Amino acid sequence: MLLRPGAASTATTHHRAHAVHAARHAVPAPVMHRAPAIVGRAAAPLPLVMLDPGHGGKDPGAIGVSGTYEKHIAEAAASELRRQLLASGAYRVAMTRSDDRFIPLEGRVDIAHTHRAALFVSMHADALTDRGVRGASVYTLSGQASDAQTAALARTENSADRFGGPQVHASSPEVQAILASLVTEETRRGAAHLASSVVAAFQPRIGLLPHPSRHAAFVVLKSADIPSVLVEMGFMSNRLDEAALRQAGHRMMVAGAMKQAIDRYFASAGGVTRLTG
């Protein structure tokens, strides 16, 4: 077959153009990447301790014999404990309130769940009808109160939502008892362990009530999966307790004892619950 002059060069040019087009649209061969070696595991997040200063805003809490508001004592003591816990570098800390605001009881529990807290510590300095009673105590959740004094204290605490108006209210005593029964056994053990640690830390330096570890159906302690305690640092109805709690040095000592209790809780096997954050 005879080719016209220039036909060969035309064919060669066409072949080159086809090769260039094929090269442009060719699928590149996969590049194999080696995964980096694993040299260590990421550190687990520090446990988060949720501090809950009682009352606040339009709810003053107990009013001391010289006019001191419980809400101010609770917030000042919680802020000092927060400072000490953060200074240790062992914890993250959040507070249900860090200023003078009203928060419903259920809302305090919700805040702890939102933060995925490892512990919940509610801080108070309530009042009793007997002004001679003084000393610190610690409370855990139970459907039945451990004694008449604690039952009265729980009724007072659980009525705090009356300051929030008719749309905000704590559960009835019957519902509270049912909620208390839903708390997991692991959470109960954790709360009891924390309570005993608080009592042990307070004993050498902070005056305690007789039988200082008590229990009742406190709404604020009803989390099913976060070990929770309510600490009464003293009673505003007692002149000596009120005077002590007004002093920054005394609150620093109370916070130091509570930090020691929290350290003891996490140092033991019982403290390794819900360390996620």
Side-chain angles (χ1 to χ4, degrees):
M1 178 179 177
L2 297 175
L3 294 176
R4 297 189 309 275
S9 60
T10 301
T12 301
T13 300
H14 177 75
H15 177 73
R16 286 175 179 168
H18 179 74
V20 169
H21 176 79
R24 283 177 178 170
H25 295 279
V27 177
V31 178
M32 302 302 292
H33 295 286
R34 295 183 60 188
I38 297 174
V39 295
R41 296 192 307 178
L46 296 175
L48 187 137
V49 178
M50 176 63 65
L51 303 180
D52 173 47
H55 309 282
K58 51 195 169 185
D59 173 14
I63 300 176
V65 289
S66 70
T68 310
Y69 284 3
E70 178 189 1
K71 65 178 182 177
H72 297 318
I73 294 294
E75 195 274 326
S79 293
E80 172 58 25
L81 177 54
R82 176 182 181 273
R83 184 191 69 78
Q84 292 191 28
L85 290 172
L86 290 176
S88 74
Y91 311 101
R92 292 173 297 139
V93 182
M95 293 173 62
T96 55
R97 68 176 184 90
S98 56
D99 54 14
D100 189 13
R101 71 175 67 188
F102 174 79
I103 302 174
L105 298 175
E106 300 272 359
R108 295 168 187 267
V109 180
D110 290 343
I111 292 170
H113 282 139
T114 299
H115 282 77
R116 297 180 60 79
L119 283 183
F120 180 89
V121 181
S122 195
M123 299 176 68
H124 292 259
D126 278 294
L128 296 171
T129 53
D130 184 350
R131 294 191 173 192
V133 176
R134 67 173 306 209
S137 48
V138 59
Y139 301 82
T140 53
L141 181 69
S142 173
Q144 299 295 321
S146 55
D147 56 90
Q149 189 181 84
T150 301
L153 197 63
R155 283 194 297 272
T156 300
E157 278 304 316
N158 292 346
S159 69
D161 280 349
R162 70 188 184 278
F163 291 95
Q167 74 280 7
V168 176
H169 57 85
S171 306
S172 69
E174 294 77 18
V175 173
Q176 291 164 22
I178 293 170
L179 290 171
S181 71
L182 298 177
V183 174
T184 67
E185 188 56 36
E186 181 182 34
T187 303
R188 287 185 189 280
R189 285 198 305 269
H193 175 48
L194 178 58
S196 65
S197 295
V198 171
V199 169
F202 275 21
Q203 215 131 32
R205 42 191 159 164
I206 310 292
L208 290 164
L209 290 182
H211 311 294
S213 186
R214 305 183 179 200
H215 53 263
F218 290 93
V219 170
V220 79
L221 300 182
K222 75 181 186 66
S223 172
D225 55 354
I226 303 173
S228 304
V229 299
L230 185 150
V231 177
E232 289 287 354
M233 299 175 285
F235 291 100
M236 302 299 284
S237 47
N238 180 275
R239 188 174 298 278
L240 295 174
D241 271 0
E242 182 202 27
L245 288 167
R246 286 171 60 93
Q247 302 300 314
H250 182 79
R251 293 194 302 271
M252 190 178 298
M253 185 166 58
V254 169
M258 291 179 66
K259 177 191 172 293
Q260 180 183 328
I262 291 168
D263 288 343
R264 187 176 299 171
Y265 174 87
F266 283 109
S268 71
V272 188
T273 57
R274 204 175 166 80
L275 296 187
T276 54

